[in-house]
Amino acid sequence: MSPSQTVTAGERLWSAVDHERPLQIAGAVNAMSALIAEQAGFRALYLSGSGVASASHGLPDLGVTTLHDVLEDARRITSATELPLLVDADTGWGDSRMIGRATRELIRSGAAGLHLEDQIAEKRCGHRPGKRLVSAIEMQDRLKAALDSRTDDRFAIMARTDAVDVEGVDAAIDRAARYVETGAEMIFAEAVASLDDYKRFTAAFGVPVLANITEFGKTPLFTVEQLSSAGVRLVLYPLTAFRAMNAAARNAYETLRRDGTQAELIAAMQTREELYDVLDYHAQEPD
């Protein structure tokens, strides 16, 4: 295949959205978890800003990580798998010039798309109280900066609105409609609490709507079937595996410290051969 015929990461994401309805997107905090998600059959991956902060830097999700931090994790994932990667770009890391740079750099990293949100720069987790929003006009400017800076027009630009929890569902839908008018190609409706509200979002405009099914938040753990019936086109599980990994690691450390042996843990571990299978180790091992 010639360079001009190469399928871009953005095209792979759009193809996945077309072929799986709704598209399940697995959160991956590193290359290994990305490979395991691929082996499990997922067609798309997600890099969470919260995941970058907590998994890679031991920091809370309060807008303290940088574009460089996100790019580093994104490159590690896209180097390991061709599954399309949607990246959390938070509020864009700065003004329109910085958002433009972030868009170009994420495309170069191999990412398939990004989402920008309408919180102020000093953001909070989307399921925490006390969120504050920028004006719809300022958010539209963020989106324009990303759209105008794309070097691949199939790189997806998604708009996330946190207005449901701050201004109410009607205002959130109004905001999302303005973001779509600006050119946003997908909508991420954060902290939606009912299927009826998802139906209102999906009926309001003709672009795919994403449901963020994160644990311990304000959105119930709706099933794929329920969300499909509400017209949702993308279902995101941003940190499910990461939380399970952390709980398993804590149990392993506590057991080792208490018992002085890992014998009790063996049955729950990934075996050496299972690891080698994920990595295709034997095919690459020198003779």
Side-chain angles (χ1 to χ4, degrees):
M1 182 177 288
S2 69
S4 63
Q5 296 173 309
T6 300
V7 176
T8 67
E11 287 172 323
R12 293 198 300 273
L13 177 59
W14 284 107
S15 176
V17 171
D18 288 339
H19 283 89
E20 184 176 310
R21 300 194 176 205
L23 175 65
Q24 290 182 290
I25 304 177
V29 296
N30 54 33
M32 174 54 69
S33 55
L35 288 170
I36 294 171
E38 181 176 24
Q39 194 176 61
F42 283 91
R43 294 187 177 187
L45 301 170
Y46 177 71
L47 181 60
S48 160
S50 176
V52 172
S54 55
S56 295
H57 299 278
L59 294 170
D61 181 25
L62 293 171
V64 293
T65 49
T66 67
L67 170 60
H68 173 78
D69 296 329
V70 173
L71 287 171
E72 184 173 6
D73 283 357
R75 291 190 192 103
R76 288 174 177 171
I77 291 170
T78 60
S79 294
T81 175
E82 290 194 353
L83 289 186
L85 178 68
L86 176 65
V87 176
D88 181 356
D90 286 332
T91 61
W93 299 289
D95 62 13
S96 60
R97 291 169 298 181
M98 191 63 196
I99 291 171
R101 181 189 171 209
T103 303
R104 294 188 297 271
E105 292 292 339
L106 283 168
I107 292 171
R108 278 194 280 267
S109 79
L114 62 77
H115 68 75
L116 291 164
E117 64 194 61
D118 54 10
Q119 288 197 54
I120 64 171
E122 297 79 18
K123 60 154 289 178
R124 292 173 178 262
C125 167
H127 293 256
R128 293 287 299 156
K131 294 185 294 185
R132 291 185 291 163
L133 309 181
V134 298
S135 69
I137 292 174
E138 183 171 341
M139 177 60 177
Q140 288 173 288
D141 288 340
R142 290 176 180 175
L143 293 168
K144 288 176 186 174
L147 289 159
D148 291 346
S149 299
R150 287 190 297 189
T151 54
D152 171 15
D153 62 7
R154 297 297 284 164
F155 181 81
I157 303 296
M158 177 184 289
R160 166 176 148 174
T161 181
D162 283 77
V164 171
D165 206 32
V166 179
E167 300 174 343
V169 175
D170 289 340
I173 291 173
D174 288 344
R175 276 178 173 263
R178 294 177 68 174
Y179 303 160
V180 171
E181 289 172 5
T182 303
E185 299 158 322
M186 301 176 179
I187 290 295
F188 181 146
E190 181 67 302
V192 175
S194 74
L195 290 172
D196 285 341
D197 286 342
Y198 274 124
K199 288 178 183 177
R200 294 183 61 191
F201 269 97
T202 61
F205 20 77
V207 304
V209 171
L210 177 147
N212 183 23
I213 307 302
T214 186
E215 304 82 17
F216 315 109
K218 298 192 175 184
T219 301
L221 300 183
F222 297 122
T223 67
V224 168
E225 291 75 17
Q226 289 173 316
L227 292 165
S228 178
S229 70
V232 169
R233 291 286 302 281
L234 306 100
V235 183
L236 175 62
Y237 312 99
L239 293 169
T240 304
F242 174 60
R243 291 191 174 101
M245 289 156 55
N246 288 344
R250 180 176 60 190
N251 178 59
Y253 289 133
E254 290 176 349
T255 300
L256 278 172
R257 185 65 174 164
R258 181 188 67 241
D259 298 346
T261 174
Q262 63 269 56
E264 182 183 311
L265 301 167
I266 293 296
M269 285 187 183
Q270 179 191 55
T271 68
R272 187 182 300 273
E273 284 304 316
E274 287 168 340
L275 172 63
Y276 287 173
D277 180 54
V278 173
L279 298 174
D280 197 22
Y281 180 92
H282 293 301
Q284 300 179 59
E285 186 177 29
D287 293 332

